[in-house]
Amino acid sequence: ANRVWIVNVGDLKPMEVPIEFFLRMAWNPARWPAESTDDFMHQWAAREFGAAYADETASLVATYLKYNGWRKPELLSPDTFSVLNYREAERIRQAWRDLATRAETLHAALPAAAKDAFYQLVLHPVKACAIVNDLYVTAAFNSLYSTQQRASTNTLKTQAETLFQADADLVTYWNTT
């Protein structure tokens, strides 16, 4: 494919970075082979947020894209990750929580002029995915504990409701602020 490349950018908002990589690759395939994604990500991050923040920004974006490769947020359900085997659900939840903490920390350190762009391109997707993964893992444990008739079932129900509200608050902030 070196003569005509076609990309559907009808849903550009959450896909700016991968679409830009695709388009740059299409423009000059020799300059941007598939193995150059790390180099591209670092250059993109430096261009958008400055060299001082490029390493961490590139790492955050690459990591949240990798984590979403485990399961796209729209395909999650309470039974996606195992709550019984190898602490899978807990490890997934903690990985997302750690990533969100890193993104929040970097956002706080950025100059004011870069905060809105960082929020849109990095922090919001990381937080949104962290919340939805946490919500489904919490719902999975709630379901398991309910079948086991544990007293902590109600605590998990409250945690799930809190996460559901956090997701709604994030959407409201995105759409209004």
Side-chain angles (χ1 to χ4, degrees):
N2 60 9
R3 296 182 64 186
V4 175
W5 289 33
I6 299 172
V7 62
N8 176 356
V9 293
D11 196 9
L12 179 62
K13 197 61 161 173
M15 301 299 293
E16 291 94 332
V17 177
I19 288 173
E20 182 178 338
F21 180 71
F22 175 88
L23 292 173
R24 287 185 180 277
M25 183 188 282
W27 185 258
N28 186 354
R31 167 64 182 98
W32 296 107
E35 303 79 35
S36 66
T37 55
D38 290 342
D39 183 41
F40 170 81
M41 194 69 70
H42 190 271
Q43 288 182 30
W44 170 85
R47 181 192 73 205
E48 297 299 325
F49 303 107
Y53 307 103
D55 289 343
E56 182 66 354
T57 301
S59 175
L60 288 165
V61 173
T63 303
Y64 95 73
L65 292 170
K66 172 187 165 186
Y67 288 2
N68 277 342
W70 293 335
R71 186 64 53 101
K72 292 180 182 179
E74 62 270 22
L75 299 178
L76 289 170
S77 70
D79 62 349
T80 298
F81 303 112
S82 177
V83 295
L84 297 175
N85 298 306
Y86 307 104
R87 299 189 64 250
E88 180 184 39
E90 293 102 326
R91 288 185 296 106
I92 298 292
R93 175 171 47 198
Q94 192 59 52
W96 276 109
R97 286 178 176 174
D98 292 347
L99 192 67
T101 298
R102 286 175 49 203
E104 290 275 8
T105 300
L106 184 55
H107 183 259
L110 287 169
K115 287 184 185 278
D116 285 345
F118 186 86
Y119 182 85
Q120 187 244 312
L121 294 166
V122 183
L123 183 57
H124 178 269
V126 169
K127 285 178 67 170
C129 292
I131 288 170
V132 77
N133 274 271
D134 202 349
L135 175 61
Y136 280 115
V137 168
T138 301
F141 276 107
N142 178 264
S143 179
L144 173 66
Y145 290 4
S146 174
T147 63
Q148 297 172 342
Q149 298 181 0
R150 291 190 190 190
S152 58
T153 302
N154 289 336
T155 301
L156 288 171
K157 173 191 162 285
T158 302
Q159 288 174 1
E161 290 170 345
T162 300
L163 288 163
F164 191 81
Q165 185 60 51
D167 184 61
D169 293 346
L170 195 65
V171 168
T172 299
Y173 183 82
W174 174 265
N175 288 326
T176 63
T177 305

